Amino acid sequence: MSPPNAPDTSESSMLADSQAPTPILAVRAAIGGVLMGLANLVPGISGGTMLLAAGVYPSFISGIAELTTLRLRARSVLVVGTVAASAGVAILLLAGLMKSLVVEQRWLMYSLFIGLTLGGVPLVWKLARPATPAVLGGAAAAFAAMLLMQLGGDGTGGSDGSLLLLLLSGLAGASAMILPGVSGGYLLLLLGQYETILGAIDQLKRGLLGDAGIDVALLLDALRVVVPVGIGVVIGVVGVSNAIKWLLDRHAKPTLGALLGLLLGAVVGLWPFQIPVAPKPGDVIKGQLVRAETLAEIEQEDWRLERFAPSVGQVGASLGLAALGLGATLAIARLGRDPDPASES
């Protein structure tokens, strides 16, 4: 029996990763990166969940931890580089389409997202089993935390962030890229910085690509927000990745249980049968009182969501899309006879 404080080297250790990079791993990383990039565009969807669904989460976490300590193994460079590049391309090319689909066809997209999210559950369960008290306790605690976050957030907050708040927003966004079940966009909504940060990114783009050429004033104003958020993202990715690697190495069972709880808790927040309700004068949106003269300025994505009673056809379509998403992630997880060794039991 291993000493009490020895690292977990059993088959449940997610980070036992010694094989050379393979084409199958590159495909998984590319698919996971695309899904992660799309998830980061949508409040309520977790990028880490999508990496779990693609079966590259353990290698990604291990790779980030290794690169931050200057261990440049080919496998780590391949996984981290492919995930980052494919996520960036997905955000650049599909941001507008994904945003439109989620805003205008929310219940259809959320049904699909439920299936994609649930696809990560068997992958984690394969590593966490059997259901020991440590696994169940970690799952229950993480599930409860997700419920409290979803019930307690109202999406209000100031529109202008202080330097510290912007830094914390970057940390929150980066943590959500790493932690399955936690949505970066959702955390930014809770902090009241979602619009501020997206506005600054759009301002940065206009400052660089405006019709009149580079606008230095716009760039400087945008960088006031983008720089502290970027610093927070870097610190968050490095810190959270190393923390999770440490937990998985030394406390695998409760950590894997917590990942299960985060996945299941994320599904609760993706209840599909919701529709946006047009605001009225006197409503409060993002902490601001709505006036008659400002109604036209409120984007549909910021409208309050209201649950509705679905028809039999909508329930059937929702279940079908969830099954499609689940089947897709399970198919991705089965790519190749020799899958990502870090995700084998």
Side-chain angles (χ1 to χ4, degrees):
M1 180 178 296
S2 301
N5 296 325
D8 182 1
T9 57
S10 68
E11 64 178 5
S12 65
S13 175
M14 297 180 72
L15 300 171
D17 184 5
S18 60
Q19 293 189 7
T22 64
I24 290 296
L25 180 61
V27 171
R28 283 174 175 245
I31 295 173
V34 170
L35 294 174
M36 179 183 183
L38 295 178
N40 286 330
L41 298 171
V42 184
I45 313 297
S46 165
T49 296
M50 296 299 100
L51 291 182
L52 263 175
V56 293
Y57 182 80
S59 288
F60 181 75
I61 292 297
S62 180
I64 289 286
E66 288 183 357
L67 293 180
T68 57
T69 55
L70 301 181
R71 293 179 58 196
L72 304 180
R73 289 198 308 145
R75 184 184 184 90
S76 299
V77 173
L78 172 70
V79 172
V80 175
T82 302
V83 168
S86 55
V89 171
I91 290 173
L92 181 64
L93 298 181
L94 301 175
L97 175 62
M98 180 59 62
K99 178 180 174 182
S100 297
L101 287 173
V102 170
V103 171
E104 298 170 12
Q105 305 291 338
R106 186 177 299 271
W107 74 270
L108 293 174
M109 296 304 294
Y110 271 30
S111 298
L112 181 62
F113 290 148
I114 285 174
L116 290 171
T117 301
L118 288 176
V121 172
L123 300 175
V124 181
W125 172 244
K126 185 178 179 181
L127 298 159
R129 64 188 181 190
T132 64
V135 171
L136 296 177
F143 184 80
M146 286 295 294
L147 290 184
L148 288 174
M149 186 176 70
Q150 291 159 16
L151 294 174
D154 58 6
T156 62
S159 59
D160 294 319
S162 65
L163 184 65
L164 178 59
L165 187 54
L166 291 171
L167 184 67
L168 289 175
S169 297
L171 283 167
S175 299
M177 292 170 60
I178 303 300
L179 292 173
V182 182
S183 162
Y186 188 78
L187 291 180
L188 294 180
L189 284 175
L190 294 182
L191 291 169
Q193 298 303 303
Y194 185 74
E195 292 180 349
T196 300
I197 293 172
L198 290 187
I201 294 172
D202 182 65
Q203 189 177 26
L204 184 67
K205 182 185 71 175
R206 288 186 286 113
L208 289 170
L209 305 175
D211 295 335
I214 295 178
D215 188 325
V216 176
L218 271 181
L219 287 177
L220 292 177
D221 192 48
L223 290 174
R224 180 180 60 84
V225 174
V226 172
V227 169
V229 171
I231 293 172
V233 167
V234 172
I235 295 173
V237 168
V238 173
V240 175
S241 296
N242 281 279
I244 292 178
K245 182 178 185 300
W246 185 88
L247 286 170
L248 288 170
D249 282 343
R250 291 164 175 78
H251 306 285
K253 289 295 184 181
T255 303
L256 290 166
L259 293 179
L260 275 175
L262 288 173
L263 284 170
L264 296 173
V267 171
V268 176
L270 290 173
W271 177 256
F273 303 116
Q274 306 177 71
I275 55 173
V277 179
K280 304 182 298 293
D283 289 347
V284 176
I285 294 182
K286 302 294 187 293
Q288 302 295 318
L289 183 68
V290 176
R291 297 181 173 85
E293 59 270 21
T294 61
L295 277 175
E297 301 174 4
I298 301 174
E299 299 288 342
Q300 186 176 346
E301 63 193 82
D302 295 327
W303 292 5
R304 178 176 57 86
L305 295 178
E306 187 175 273
R307 296 192 176 193
F308 67 91
S311 67
V312 174
Q314 287 173 324
V315 171
S318 178
L319 291 174
L321 285 169
L324 178 64
L326 176 62
T329 53
L330 293 179
I332 293 168
R334 295 181 64 84
L335 279 176
R337 294 285 298 173
D338 184 20
D340 182 3
S343 61
E344 289 188 341
S345 65

